[in-house]
Amino acid sequence: MSGDKKKKTKRTVKGQLVLKTFARTTKSESLGVYLQTAEESFLIRPAAGNPFMDNPLAALAGKFIEATGRKSDYVFFADSWKEIPEDEAR
């Protein structure tokens, strides 16, 4: 691997999963799974998942989760996640 690549540190985030349109008005337009935290919103998907397959987190849309993983640009790659009560997500 290249020595100039930044090491991505793992972090834990909490928020609500929402479905929103990604890449609107482009050939890549699709329904994306976003994690809406108190500070920001970003795409979320399993770290080991295939980005061209359905995102298993879509089934949890509307639920609140705590996820551990790493963020790269606008995508959070979740190594693990669990459903949590709404009051814990705030």
Side-chain angles (χ1 to χ4, degrees):
M1 277 189 105
S2 173
D4 59 1
K5 292 215 178 214
K6 294 179 186 175
K7 286 188 177 182
K8 302 289 183 181
T9 57
K10 288 193 179 196
R11 67 183 218 188
T12 299
V13 293
K14 297 178 183 182
Q16 184 177 26
L17 291 174
V18 294
L19 301 177
K20 295 194 295 189
T21 303
F22 171 74
R24 187 178 300 271
T25 70
T26 71
K27 289 181 181 179
S28 299
E29 183 173 313
S30 60
L31 194 59
V33 181
Y34 286 79
L35 183 64
Q36 179 68 54
T37 70
E39 297 83 30
E40 58 188 330
S41 177
F42 41 81
L43 282 168
I44 183 170
R45 66 181 181 88
N50 182 335
F52 301 106
M53 301 299 287
D54 290 337
N55 187 334
L57 291 167
L60 296 174
K63 308 272 183 169
F64 293 85
I65 68 163
E66 176 180 280
T68 301
R70 61 182 175 78
K71 189 170 176 217
S72 179
D73 295 323
Y74 57 90
V75 180
F76 187 85
F77 296 96
D79 293 318
S80 64
W81 58 88
K82 66 178 180 178
E83 192 174 335
I84 59 173
E86 180 178 354
D87 61 331
E88 283 186 30
R90 307 278 176 206

